[in-house]
Amino acid sequence: MIISGSLGLGLWYRQQFISRLQTLRELEGILELFMSEIRYGKSTLPECCLHLAARLGEPYAQAFRDVFEEMQENTGAGFSEVFCRHMEECLAALPVKKEDGENFLRFISKSSYADEGMQLRTMEMSRELLAGAIERVERENEEKCRLAVGLGAMSGLLLVIVLL
């Protein structure tokens, strides 16, 4: 039982590394969808949120719906403030580091641009930052995943030997 428990812990850590990589890819895809909505759909940022809510799964869909609904209520808060608040809540429940969330939300700090071209350029810069993080995490994950599983199994064996 000790060996299987330790191995299970190692597998859990491995899954955490893989989940972070999957989440980063999802965030990159969200930025690409945003860019597509602006470029081809000629949508405003709140309208983009409504369209993305219909296309994405949870937890992103609810966060985007909340952003759109709050912007429709016209509470006086700016889009970047509302978007950041809801997306930070959403990202807090996901297996990403703080810097990953900041890279994703970087484009929204410059959303005051009325020009479609500038909005797209800032989104592209955020997407490139996420792509760099994805590339770095992919390189690191192979070793970390093997190490997590190996250390889990070996620590289980060590505990069994010590307890005997």
Side-chain angles (χ1 to χ4, degrees):
M1 286 191 341
I2 291 174
I3 292 173
S4 63
S6 297
L7 182 60
L9 184 62
L11 291 170
W12 179 81
Y13 274 110
R14 177 182 176 269
Q15 185 57 40
Q16 293 302 306
F17 294 134
I18 292 170
S19 295
R20 178 177 176 222
L21 182 60
Q22 289 172 336
T23 302
L24 285 172
R25 287 181 179 145
E26 290 171 354
L27 293 176
E28 183 182 32
I30 288 171
L31 282 176
E32 289 175 2
L33 289 172
F34 247 117
M35 291 167 47
S36 175
E37 285 292 328
I38 291 172
R39 184 176 290 132
Y40 303 114
K42 304 296 183 195
S43 301
T44 63
L45 291 174
E47 290 171 344
C48 288
C49 289
L50 179 64
H51 296 151
L52 290 177
R55 295 173 79 178
L56 296 171
E58 294 301 331
Y60 308 109
Q62 186 60 47
F64 283 117
R65 265 192 301 278
D66 291 344
V67 170
F68 178 76
E69 289 168 2
E70 189 168 336
M71 291 307 296
Q72 289 300 106
E73 292 171 3
N74 201 9
T75 59
F79 179 78
S80 61
E81 178 186 337
V82 171
F83 186 83
C84 284
R85 183 168 18 90
H86 287 289
M87 289 310 294
E88 284 172 354
E89 290 172 9
C90 177
L91 292 173
L94 297 173
V96 291
K97 291 185 176 179
K98 185 176 180 180
E99 67 187 40
D100 299 332
E102 289 171 358
N103 287 340
F104 174 70
L105 294 173
R106 189 173 307 257
F107 81 93
I108 207 63
S109 64
K110 308 273 197 255
S111 69
S112 59
Y113 294 131
D115 179 27
E116 170 188 317
M118 286 301 289
Q119 286 177 349
L120 289 171
R121 278 192 281 282
T122 58
M123 286 182 187
E124 183 63 33
M125 287 187 334
S126 288
R127 194 190 65 73
E128 287 173 4
L129 288 171
L130 283 176
I134 289 170
E135 187 177 307
R136 187 175 58 256
V137 168
E138 282 176 338
R139 283 193 312 264
E140 295 172 356
N141 264 11
E142 188 174 330
E143 275 184 43
K144 285 182 178 180
C145 288
R146 263 187 307 193
L147 189 63
V149 173
L151 284 176
M154 297 309 260
S155 63
L157 286 172
L158 179 66
L159 280 171
V160 167
I161 291 171
V162 168
L163 292 174
L164 291 177

